[in-house]
Amino acid sequence: MTDSAAIGTLDSNQHTHHRVIDAIDAWAIKAGDRINPILIKETRQALKSRQFLVTFSTLLVAALGWTIIGSLSMMPQIYTTPSAPRLLIGYYVLLAIPMLLIVPLAAYRSLEAEIDDGTLELLSITTLSPWQIVLGKLASACLQILLYLVTLFPCVAYAYTLRGIDLPTLGLIMAALIVTALTLTVVALSLAPVARGRTGRISTLLVVMAVLLLAQYLIGFGVVSMILYGNPVPIVLAGYLLFAFTATSAVVCHLLLTTTAALLTPESENRSTPIRWSILALTITLVTMAAFGIESAGSGRDADEVAMATFSLAVILLAGLWTVSGAMFSAESETLTPRIRRELPGNFVSRMLLTFFTPGPATGLVFSMLMIAVVSGAVLFAIETIANNGAVGLANRDRRLVWDWTIIYSSYLVMFLVAVRWIVAVVRIKNNPRVEIGLAALIVVAVLSALIPYSVGLHWNDYRPYSYSYWQITNWFWTLGLTTSGSLPRDVIPVLVLGAVAAFLLALASVGTRALPMRTAMPAAVMEELAKTRQRSKSTS
C-alpha cells in the first residue's frame, strides 16, 4: 500500500508538473502569435539588410584586429602589469558605434520609411495595433543590440582577465551602455512620426543625429573616465544611481512609445488618456527618485552631493515636463468621436476619479494644474526635509529662494496655461491644428507678458532705467530675476498666488459638461463585429 501510494503521489506530481508546463507553453504560443507577425517581418528585414551585414562584419574584423594589435602593443608588460583599461576602451568604442548610433538610426529610418511609403496604412487595416507595430520595431533593434553584445562578450571577458578593472565597475559600464542604447532607440522611434513633409523629415533626421552624437560623447566620456580612474562614488551610491537611471529611462521610454503609438493611431480613437497615465507614472518616478536621494543624505559627503544633484535634476525635469505637457493638454481638440464617448467613465466612482483623464482641453488644463500643484507641494516638502535634517547644510537664503521660485514659477505657469487654452480655442474655430500649437502659444504668451509691460514702462519713462512696480507683475522674467537677487517685494508673491487660484477656478468652471455623464452605449452592430473579431482571433490562435 505504501508503494502504491508513493507511486500515485509521484504520478500526481508529474501530472501537475505537465499541466504547469502546458499552461506556460499555451501562454508562450499566444504571446508569440501577438508579437511574431511584425517581429518576424522586422527581424528578417533588418538581418538581411546591407546595413546590418556591413556593420556586423566590420565589427567582427575590427574586434579581431584590435585584440591582436592591442595585445601586441602591450607586450611584454601585459604579463606583469594591469592591461585591461586600454583594451576595454577600444572594445567600448567598437560596441558604442553600432549600439548608440547605427541601431537607433536604423530603427528611425525603418519606421520613417513605413510612414513615407504608405506601408503603415496597410498595416493599420490589419489586426495589428500601433503598439504592436512600434514594439516590433523596438524588438528588432533589441535583437541587433543583443547580437552585438554577444559578439564582443568574449573580447570583454578577455580584457577583464588582464586585470586593471574590477567586476562591479565593468558591470556598471555594460549596464549603462545597454540602458542608453535602448533609450536612444526609443527616442529615435518617437521622432519618426513627428514630421510631415520632406523638409520636416530632414529636420527631424538632423535632430536625431544631433541627439545620438551628443549621447555618444557624454556616455563615452563617462565610461572612459570609469575605465581609467575607476568608480568615483561608493558602490552603494553607484547602484542607486544605476537603478534611478534605469527606472527613469524605463518610464521615459514608456512615455515616448505611448506618444509614438498615439501618433500612429487614428484621430477617431482615444489618444490622450494613455499619455496622461504615462506622464503621471513618470512624475511619480521622478518624485520617488528624489525622495530616495534625500533619504540617503547624511551618510557622507558623496551621499549629500548625490542627494542635492538628484533633487535638483528631478525638479528641473518635472518643471520642463509639466510646462510642455500642460501646454499640449490645453491645446487638445474638443471633438469627441462616438468611439471615444463609448470608452468614457460611466459610473459615479469612475467619473469622480477618472474625469480629468478623459480627452479634451478643459480636462487637460485642470489635470495639468492639479499635477503642478502636487509637484510644487512635493518640492516644498522636500526642501523643508533637507533643511531640517541639517545633513546638506542648506542656507536659509537658498531655502527661501527655492520656496519663492517654486511658488512664482507655478503661479505664472498656471495663469499662462489658461491663456493658452483660450487662444487655441479661438484658433480652432476655423482651423484644426496639432497639439504642438499649444507649446507655440505658451511661448508667445510668455514673451508678450514680459515684453509688453516692459516696453510700455520704458516708453512711459522716456526710455530711461526704471524700478520694478506692480505694473510689471506679468513680467515673469524680471520677477524671477529679482527673486534670485533677493530684492523682490514680498507682497508680490501673494498677488501671484491669488491670480493662480483664480485661474484654477476659471479652468474648473470651464470643464462644464465634462464632469457630467457622457458615456454612450455601444451599438449592437459594433458589439456583434467585436464578438466576431474575438472569435476569429481565438480560432487562429
Side-chain angles (χ1 to χ4, degrees):
M1 293 294 293
T2 304
D3 295 338
S4 301
I7 294 173
T9 303
L10 181 62
D11 293 339
S12 178
N13 292 335
Q14 291 179 350
H15 181 67
T16 304
H17 179 68
H18 288 309
R19 289 179 60 186
V20 173
I21 294 178
D22 292 340
I24 295 175
D25 288 341
W27 177 84
I29 292 173
K30 186 179 295 185
D33 289 338
R34 292 179 60 87
I35 298 174
N36 278 343
I38 190 68
L39 177 59
I40 291 176
K41 168 187 173 295
E42 292 299 324
T43 303
R44 287 176 176 173
Q45 184 176 353
L47 298 185
K48 290 183 178 180
S49 64
R50 182 177 299 176
Q51 166 264 320
F52 177 77
L53 294 177
V54 172
T55 304
F56 193 74
S57 302
T58 305
L59 180 65
L60 290 175
V61 174
L64 178 60
W66 175 244
T67 301
I68 297 174
I69 295 173
S71 300
L72 292 178
S73 65
M74 292 184 290
M75 290 291 185
Q77 293 84 1
I78 194 173
Y79 297 106
T80 58
T81 60
S83 308
R86 181 187 296 182
L87 281 177
L88 279 177
I89 291 175
Y91 291 141
Y92 167 76
V93 173
L94 294 178
L95 267 177
I97 292 177
M99 289 178 61
L100 304 185
L101 185 62
I102 296 178
V103 171
L105 191 61
Y108 168 81
R109 286 292 303 138
S110 177
L111 184 56
E112 186 192 45
E114 299 276 9
I115 299 173
D116 194 22
D117 297 340
T119 311
L120 194 65
E121 298 179 359
L122 298 177
L123 292 175
S124 62
I125 62 176
T126 64
T127 57
L128 293 175
S129 65
W131 259 102
Q132 288 178 288
I133 296 173
V134 175
L135 290 179
K137 301 286 184 181
L138 180 61
S140 175
C142 291
L143 181 60
Q144 296 180 56
I145 292 174
L146 180 62
L147 290 176
Y148 294 135
L149 285 173
V150 171
T151 301
L152 279 193
F153 181 78
C155 299
V156 175
Y158 163 69
Y160 173 71
T161 60
L162 299 179
R163 303 177 311 279
I165 189 170
D166 58 286
L167 188 59
T169 302
L170 184 60
L172 286 175
I173 292 173
M174 299 306 296
L177 182 62
I178 294 172
V179 173
T180 305
L182 294 177
T183 303
L184 290 178
T185 303
V186 173
V187 170
L189 284 173
S190 66
L191 292 174
V194 171
R196 295 180 180 178
R198 183 177 298 274
T199 303
R201 287 194 291 270
I202 294 175
S203 302
T204 306
L205 179 60
L206 294 177
V207 171
V208 171
M209 289 294 298
V211 171
L212 296 180
L213 292 176
L214 179 61
Q216 187 85 259
Y217 171 77
L218 294 177
I219 299 299
F221 179 79
V223 168
V224 171
S225 299
M226 290 182 65
I227 292 175
L228 294 178
Y229 308 109
N231 187 8
V233 298
I235 190 62
V236 176
L237 286 179
Y240 161 73
L241 292 176
L242 179 61
F243 173 75
F245 177 65
T246 304
T248 305
S249 299
V251 184
V252 169
C253 289
H254 182 270
L255 174 60
L256 294 177
L257 291 175
T258 303
T259 56
T260 305
L263 290 174
L264 301 179
T265 302
E267 296 183 1
S268 59
E269 297 185 12
N270 184 358
R271 303 188 295 182
S272 178
T273 300
I275 296 177
R276 297 188 190 185
W277 280 111
S278 185
I279 291 180
L280 179 61
L282 177 57
T283 302
I284 295 173
T285 302
L286 291 175
V287 172
T288 304
M289 293 299 105
F292 276 122
I294 294 171
E295 287 296 324
S296 66
S299 57
R301 180 179 177 182
D302 293 331
D304 295 344
E305 293 178 354
V306 169
M308 290 306 300
T310 304
F311 173 75
S312 303
L313 182 60
V315 171
I316 294 173
L317 291 177
L318 287 171
L321 173 67
W322 284 106
T323 299
V324 175
S325 59
M328 291 188 178
F329 287 153
S330 303
E332 291 182 356
S333 176
E334 296 183 355
T335 304
L336 295 179
T337 63
R339 176 175 295 184
I340 297 177
R341 288 178 179 270
R342 291 194 293 266
E343 299 174 356
L344 293 179
N347 53 52
F348 174 77
V349 176
S350 61
R351 290 198 306 271
M352 183 177 63
L353 298 177
L354 305 177
T355 292
F356 298 113
F357 287 92
T358 58
T363 56
L365 177 59
V366 176
F367 176 70
S368 301
M369 289 180 174
L370 291 175
M371 293 307 304
I372 291 170
V374 171
V375 170
S376 300
V379 171
L380 298 180
F381 178 78
I383 201 65
E384 286 299 310
T385 303
I386 294 174
N388 291 332
N389 61 25
V392 180
L394 188 67
N396 289 330
R397 182 183 180 278
D398 297 333
R399 176 182 177 184
R400 177 181 173 182
L401 181 62
V402 173
W403 268 83
D404 292 346
W405 257 82
T406 302
I407 295 174
I408 293 173
Y409 185 86
S410 302
S411 300
Y412 276 123
L413 182 58
V414 166
M415 291 185 287
F416 288 172
L417 289 180
V418 173
V420 169
R421 156 84 173 92
W422 295 109
I423 290 174
V424 176
V426 173
V427 174
R428 286 191 179 276
I429 294 177
K430 294 186 178 181
N431 299 280
N432 186 26
R434 301 172 65 177
V435 293
E436 288 85 348
I437 192 177
L439 187 58
L442 179 63
I443 296 174
V444 171
V445 169
V447 171
L448 293 181
S449 64
L451 187 61
I452 291 177
Y454 182 77
S455 301
V456 172
L458 198 63
H459 178 74
W460 187 263
N461 290 274
D462 296 329
Y463 298 95
R464 292 176 296 180
Y466 61 97
S467 302
Y468 184 89
S469 65
Y470 278 108
W471 295 104
Q472 300 294 324
I473 200 169
T474 61
N475 191 341
W476 58 272
F477 188 80
W478 198 351
T479 303
L480 291 175
L482 292 178
T483 302
T484 305
S485 62
S487 56
L488 180 70
R490 302 305 301 172
D491 53 354
V492 172
I493 297 179
V495 176
L496 292 174
V497 173
L498 289 176
V501 172
F504 173 75
L505 295 177
L506 177 62
L508 194 62
S510 67
V511 174
T513 56
R514 293 291 187 272
L516 299 177
M518 298 178 57
R519 185 172 182 174
T520 58
M522 186 177 295
V526 176
M527 296 178 64
E528 293 176 359
E529 186 63 29
L530 289 176
K532 293 179 181 179
T533 303
R534 295 192 191 98
Q535 187 175 3
R536 284 196 297 266
S537 62
K538 289 181 180 179
S539 61
T540 54
S541 61

